[in-house]
Structures are given as C-alpha cells and as structure tokens.
Amino acid sequence: HQINRDYRMKSTNEIMYGVSMAVDGFFQRSNTPSRSEIDNIVSYYSGHYESYGLNCQAGVFADLQFGYFGVVAPGSTNDNIAYPIAKGLKDAIDHLP
C-alpha cells in the first residue's frame, strides 16, 4: 500500500517497513481547572511537566496528514493508559490497510 511505501522511503535504510501511522501522545498545557469545571483538579496536574494540562493522542500518516487527533484524558494520565481510552484512534488503526 502507498502509505506503507511512503514511510519506508522516508526512513533511513527503509527501516520503517510496514508502518502505516505514527502514533504519539502530546501534553497540552492549560490553566488550572476550577472546582465548578471538574471535581478532581489534581488529575489534570502532570508532575513530569510540572503544569496542569490535557493528554492528547495523535496518529499521523507519512504525508503528515492527521489520521486521528483527540483530547483524551487529564494531564496526569500516561500515554499507555490514554491510548486504550482513545476509541477513535483504535478505530483509525483498525481500518488501516
């Protein structure tokens, strides 16, 4: 499939064979949420980034088009926990060639 060939051609020594979508998490900083917005304010605080924010997940094709982008969870959520929550990302991956 063309998507697989595009990744392979962009990678050094064509090591990205069989890749259709690159997936990664992103921490988006935000203001501290208020008690009127959310009950568990501390769940939005990331000790790693030392800031309040949101866990976003994205999937990108070799031509830099997004196959998926979603604001998935509070900022303290690790990517390995956020990925299964991102149903749209799982659906996008399941429908790849």
Side-chain angles (χ1 to χ4, degrees), residues 10-21:
K10 288 180 183 240
S11 66
T12 303
N13 297 324
E14 296 189 2
I15 63 170
M16 299 293 281
Y17 181 78
V19 174
S20 295
M21 180 186 287

Side-chain angles (χ1 to χ4, degrees), residues 30 38 46 57 64 83 95:
S30 70
I38 197 78
S46 168
Q57 297 291 310
L64 303 181
Y83 171 75
H95 289 93

Side-chain angles (χ1 to χ4, degrees), residues 19-95:
V19 174
S20 295
M21 180 186 287
V23 176
D24 199 6
F26 171 74
F27 178 79
Q28 175 58 56
R29 293 180 193 273
S30 70
N31 294 331
T32 305
S34 69
R35 292 252 181 242
S36 65
E37 295 174 302
I38 197 78
D39 291 331
N40 189 1
I41 293 173
V42 74
S43 69
Y44 286 79
Y45 186 80
S46 168
H48 178 74
Y49 293 103
E50 298 181 351
S51 178
Y52 286 91
L54 301 163
N55 181 299
C56 304
Q57 297 291 310
V60 181
F61 299 117
D63 63 1
L64 303 181
Q65 291 186 44
F66 280 93
Y68 175 85
F69 183 87
V71 178
V72 177
S76 67
T77 309
N78 291 327
D79 286 346
N80 64 333
I81 302 298
Y83 171 75
I85 296 171
K87 183 181 179 324
L89 179 55
K90 183 183 178 322
D91 290 345
I93 291 170
D94 287 347
H95 289 93

Side-chain angles (χ1 to χ4, degrees), residues 1-9 19-20 61-63 97:
H1 289 81
Q2 186 62 41
I3 295 172
N4 304 100
R5 283 190 294 276
D6 289 345
Y7 266 109
R8 192 172 65 235
M9 291 176 62
V19 174
S20 295
F61 299 117
D63 63 1

